[in-house]
Amino acid sequence: ADVLPMSALSKFLDKYRKAQSLKMKIGILADETYPDGTKAAFVGYVNEYGAPSDSEDQIIPARPFFRTAIENNREILPQMTASLLSKHDPETAARKIGDHMVGELTRSVNNWSDPENAKSTQRAKGYNAPLRANDRILRNSFSYEIEQ
């Protein structure tokens, strides 16, 4: 069996402790707004969980893009984290994970297709692309923060 010198073990433990103290937030964190003043975070929430209405044409169905992105990465994130921590300091590893998840959330929005937009929304937009609009505000609003 390989035996680590005490200094290497100390270095490894320090790195592990530092990694344990980092916290990360990933999502729509900035105050990004649409031209009418609506917050991108609100639009993301309503699309994630859906919204009822009195009018049949106004119901916004749930399109859980955020939960889907998390679920699609649930199994690879621990492996990715371990691999990154073996090569990088904890902050660099966290930034790489944050960049990855921002990409995954954006991809989830870009690829979402079901349920399709209401016919009235398709007419207004000129196309059927749930979660996407020409302004690209929602899909460009994801970010992350690392706290120590």
Side-chain angles (χ1 to χ4, degrees), residues 70-127:
I70 299 299
E71 185 59 35
N72 289 344
N73 285 272
R74 186 173 305 280
E75 291 188 17
I76 67 164
L77 283 174
Q79 297 163 354
M80 177 187 290
T81 302
S83 175
L84 288 169
L85 284 172
S86 73
K87 299 172 191 163
H88 302 284
D89 64 90
E91 288 179 51
T92 300
R95 279 195 303 276
K96 290 182 178 293
I97 292 165
D99 289 339
H100 170 78
M101 287 310 301
V102 164
E104 290 296 300
L105 289 165
T106 303
R107 191 172 357 276
S108 186
V109 167
N110 285 337
N111 294 337
W112 203 270
S113 62
D114 188 49
E116 67 179 29
N117 286 128
K119 297 300 178 203
S120 59
T121 303
Q122 291 180 41
R123 282 191 299 277
K125 286 169 59 172
Y127 55 92

